[in-house]
Amino acid sequence: MVSRLGSVPGSPREDTPEVDLHLPIEAAHPEAEAKFLIEDAAHIGDLIDSLDSYDVRSASGVDIVDDYWDTPDWHLFRAGWTYRWRDRSGDRIMTLKSRRLRDGLVQKREEVERRVPAFPQDGSHPLVAEHVADRSGGLRSGDLRELFRVRTHRRLFDIRLPDGALVELGIDRTTITTDGPVKKPAPGRMTFVELEIELREGREESLRQLAGELQQRPGVLAARLSKFERGLQTTGLSPPRASRMVLPASTPFMEVWRDREPSPADPAVHLAYGCLLGQFAEMIVQEPRAWEGLDPEGVHKMRVATRRLRSALQAFKKVLPASIRSFNPEFKWLAAVLGGVRDLDVAMGNLPHFLSEIPPEDAEHLDDFRQHLDDRWREERRRLLACLASRRYGRLKAGFARSLERGPSARDMEVSGSVTVGDAARLLIGKRHRGVVRRGRQITSESGDEALHALRIQCKRLRYLLEFFRPAYGELLEAEIRRLKKLQDVLGEFQDACVAGQLLRRYADGLPVRSSNRGRLIALGRLIGAQERRAARRRADFATAWERFESTGGPAGILS
């Protein structure tokens, strides 16, 4: 019998015996659990000790290896399941889990398990496949691929609560890796410590109360991603997602443009709403990654999506209703909070490279500067977490989703519905390109750093605009986008050097001038000098980059 899940070509488990397909499969059962990230593993002992008001008993420790699988077309994911093979100290289990059903701190998921003496050579699991097919309306055949591997050392405790409920508490020290390709800038490897509590006996309310208590402990952060989702983050894999995930319901207006690409003859307002929905969906996807902070790209991508949202609101202001444009100040607030963390992520990420440019004996004096960056980052992280947990942010998400869902009113369409995508492209692209050229030509060797910074922002806005129109014009805009990106790269590296220099100067200015700080001040001076030289090189590169930008391409051909 051939499984609907297909086969796994080139499986490394070729020496495993055939699996007895008649072994019993457990019925689907729900699980209720809550998970938390532990910021500092050194405090785990104190955390367990703080539960001394309960009957806490150490159960065991176990090593777990989970391999996650899906088809190239993400058939299981589309059906709402994740699929893993678990080796738990020789106990082998195939598991299907529904992706997630969140209810506050407590997550509820349905789980189907089957124990096997050995994992099959071809990845087949007919009974589990049939279980998925029964619930998804059919699952097409396709070869399975291994997505990533999750290795966990789990320390288990049993907690008996006052009302008699039994909760299993696990402390997971986890590493996620992959043997497959990693889509940059994904890290390719992720480590974290996670606390998980799962209800074994008793009322779910008891679990909820314990979760609420744990959430108040210092250094404990409510998890917003599963290990599977962190695996996707680690490898850069991108399963399909529907824009519907953001919105509470569908409307006739949304159905007009959701399932097809816009054409130049369509109303520009349809393209504008499509851009807003796409960036809003990306912002929502990146939010839990930014919240957890395990990979700096979560904050970066959420910030970029927020900036693109603001750019679309500004670019299409002539055709968008005032009600939806009114969200711009709130997105500006959100972008600023994200920016506080992102700027320090960049500074800490660049520091090892910067230190390599000065003598090692000088770099040794900058441990306090590293700690200064880390302290500031933690402050900005606290500010970001407060923002994402705030009612203000919740109102922003809910209100913007409702505005997207409603779309423009009949009156709005009477006023702006006659403006086509083509009309908007000719007007906006030409206007923004002229602004870039005008500012770029004004820059001379005497211009201040702020002039190049302003040009960088204008280039970014023009590039965003071109990307907004890409669904309607496709490859026609690609060459211009590539030209802009090359110019932006030079301007971005110049800006990074300037920002690094400013950060170093502010720190140096705050140090008292005394003999005990002599080595530190000398090292900071050399580091500042290295950033000034780096900025000077990028500034010299700008002249060449600008000449190349002006001499090739341009919007004339596109606009015609």
Side-chain angles (χ1 to χ4, degrees):
M1 180 177 181
V2 178
S3 166
R4 288 192 179 94
L5 294 183
S7 62
V8 185
S11 171
R13 301 175 178 81
E14 295 180 357
D15 58 342
T16 57
E18 291 292 324
V19 173
D20 180 3
L21 298 179
H22 300 289
L23 287 172
I25 182 169
E26 297 182 10
H29 62 275
E31 63 173 5
E33 61 186 11
K35 297 184 178 184
F36 304 88
L37 291 173
I38 307 298
E39 295 181 356
D40 188 347
H43 295 157
I44 290 175
D46 295 336
L47 179 61
I48 299 299
D49 290 343
S50 72
L51 299 173
D52 58 0
S53 60
Y54 303 113
D55 180 9
V56 180
R57 300 184 182 183
S58 180
S60 61
V62 63
D63 290 315
I64 301 170
V65 179
D66 291 327
D67 293 328
Y68 284 85
W69 303 81
D70 208 328
T71 67
D73 290 334
W74 300 96
H75 292 157
L76 289 167
F77 185 91
R78 292 173 187 271
W81 297 89
T82 62
Y83 179 47
R84 78 179 179 214
W85 291 358
R86 166 166 289 185
D87 189 327
R88 180 176 171 137
S89 298
D91 186 16
R92 296 178 178 88
I93 308 169
M94 289 176 161
T95 305
L96 281 163
K97 277 193 174 186
S98 61
R99 286 212 304 273
R100 56 199 285 120
L101 289 172
R102 179 173 291 280
D103 179 15
L105 281 176
V106 174
Q107 301 176 40
K108 298 178 182 178
R109 295 190 291 184
E110 194 172 62
E111 185 175 279
V112 184
E113 291 184 337
R114 181 176 182 177
R115 283 177 167 79
V116 295
F119 294 122
Q121 296 180 30
D122 62 357
S124 62
H125 201 314
L127 294 179
V128 175
E130 289 166 12
H131 179 86
V132 175
D134 288 343
R135 292 167 176 268
S136 66
L139 187 66
R140 295 174 298 173
S141 297
D143 290 340
L144 284 171
R145 57 174 178 169
E146 184 175 337
L147 304 176
F148 45 82
R149 172 165 288 184
V150 180
R151 296 181 182 273
T152 298
H153 177 74
R154 176 170 293 171
R155 184 181 172 194
L156 293 169
F157 300 84
D158 288 332
I159 303 179
R160 183 68 69 175
L161 302 181
D163 65 354
L166 178 63
V167 172
E168 182 183 79
L169 183 149
I171 302 292
D172 290 353
R173 296 175 182 266
T174 297
T175 301
I176 301 177
T177 58
T178 180
D179 292 331
V182 175
K183 185 178 179 182
K184 296 299 181 183
R189 179 184 178 89
M190 182 180 288
T191 61
F192 52 90
V193 180
E194 189 171 41
L195 182 154
E196 175 182 326
I197 54 174
E198 183 173 350
L199 186 65
R200 293 302 190 189
E201 300 173 7
R203 299 180 306 116
E204 187 179 305
E205 182 59 30
S206 302
L207 179 73
R208 201 179 303 278
Q209 290 175 1
L210 178 59
E213 181 180 335
L214 287 169
Q215 188 183 27
Q216 304 304 316
R217 298 287 198 275
V220 175
L221 180 69
R224 292 197 176 180
L225 295 171
S226 64
K227 289 183 175 69
F228 173 79
E229 290 166 318
R230 294 188 197 118
L232 298 177
Q233 185 180 8
T234 301
T235 56
L237 293 170
S238 300
R241 70 171 187 266
S243 58
R244 299 170 193 264
M245 62 178 287
V246 181
L247 301 170
S250 184
T251 63
F253 169 73
M254 289 174 59
E255 296 300 329
V256 169
W257 49 264
R258 172 183 286 158
D259 298 324
R260 70 178 182 86
E261 299 290 2
S263 74
D266 284 335
V269 68
H270 288 188
L271 176 65
Y273 270 81
C275 294
L276 294 175
L277 179 63
Q279 296 308 316
F280 189 50
E282 175 67 7
M283 188 192 87
I284 297 300
V285 166
Q286 297 302 331
E287 179 193 325
R289 298 179 175 185
W291 169 272
E292 293 196 346
L294 295 174
D295 175 18
E297 284 300 303
V299 168
H300 173 54
K301 289 180 178 179
M302 187 178 180
R303 183 192 190 195
V304 168
T306 307
R307 282 178 160 181
R308 288 175 184 266
L309 263 172
R310 296 192 62 227
S311 185
L313 289 169
Q314 175 65 24
F316 296 108
K317 62 184 180 182
K318 297 293 186 182
V319 297
L320 287 171
S323 59
I324 203 164
R325 297 199 313 271
S326 67
F327 287 95
N328 205 352
E330 290 299 275
F331 284 119
K332 182 179 181 180
W333 159 72
L334 175 61
V337 177
L338 289 162
V341 177
R342 176 58 184 170
D343 290 346
L344 288 162
D345 279 336
V346 171
M348 292 192 296
N350 287 338
L351 186 59
H353 172 67
F354 295 163
L355 293 177
S356 69
E357 298 178 344
I358 64 175
E361 58 271 21
D362 288 332
E364 292 175 0
H365 291 284
L366 294 177
D367 288 344
D368 286 350
F369 179 63
R370 290 191 189 92
Q371 188 60 51
H372 167 74
L373 291 179
D374 187 67
D375 291 343
R376 283 196 56 198
W377 180 83
R378 291 180 185 279
E379 290 175 9
E380 293 297 334
R381 273 284 298 168
R382 285 192 289 269
R383 184 174 169 229
L384 174 60
L385 293 174
C387 164
L388 297 181
S390 68
R391 292 182 179 179
R392 180 179 179 181
Y393 178 63
R395 289 193 298 268
L396 170 59
K397 287 194 298 182
F400 196 71
R402 286 193 297 270
S403 292
L404 287 175
E405 183 186 82
R406 286 194 301 266
S409 66
R411 173 60 180 162
D412 293 327
M413 290 301 293
E414 287 179 8
V415 173
S416 60
S418 62
V419 179
T420 67
V421 171
D423 295 335
R426 283 186 289 273
L427 173 65
L428 296 175
I429 292 175
K431 181 179 180 180
R432 286 207 174 172
H433 187 273
R434 288 191 295 272
V436 166
V437 171
R438 181 167 57 250
R439 188 174 291 275
R441 287 174 176 172
Q442 292 172 352
I443 294 176
T444 68
S445 59
E446 304 301 320
S447 299
D449 295 346
E450 64 279 1
L452 277 79
H453 176 57
L455 176 62
R456 183 183 66 87
I457 292 174
Q458 283 193 281
C459 288
K460 178 176 63 180
R461 289 174 177 168
L462 175 58
R463 181 181 163 196
Y464 287 171
L465 185 67
L466 293 171
E467 290 170 349
F468 293 155
F469 282 101
R470 185 157 47 188
Y473 290 99
E475 292 297 321
L476 182 64
L477 302 178
E478 291 301 326
E480 189 69 12
I481 291 172
R482 286 194 296 270
R483 284 192 332 119
L484 267 172
K485 188 176 186 307
K486 290 178 181 178
L487 181 60
Q488 275 186 276
D489 288 344
V490 174
L491 291 168
E493 290 174 9
F494 173 78
Q495 177 68 7
D496 287 347
C498 291
V499 170
Q502 292 167 4
L503 186 65
L504 288 162
R505 287 189 195 91
R506 283 197 297 269
Y507 178 72
D509 290 344
L511 291 177
V513 180
R514 57 189 180 212
S515 58
S516 60
N517 284 333
R518 182 174 183 275
R520 198 181 312 168
L521 289 168
I522 290 173
L524 287 167
R526 287 180 173 164
L527 204 52
I528 291 169
Q531 294 313 302
E532 290 174 343
R533 291 189 294 274
R534 180 169 166 245
R537 289 194 298 271
R538 296 290 83 80
R539 182 157 189 149
D541 293 340
F542 167 73
T544 303
W546 178 256
E547 182 179 351
R548 187 184 304 116
F549 175 79
E550 272 217 284
S551 63
T552 59
I558 296 173
L559 296 178
S560 66

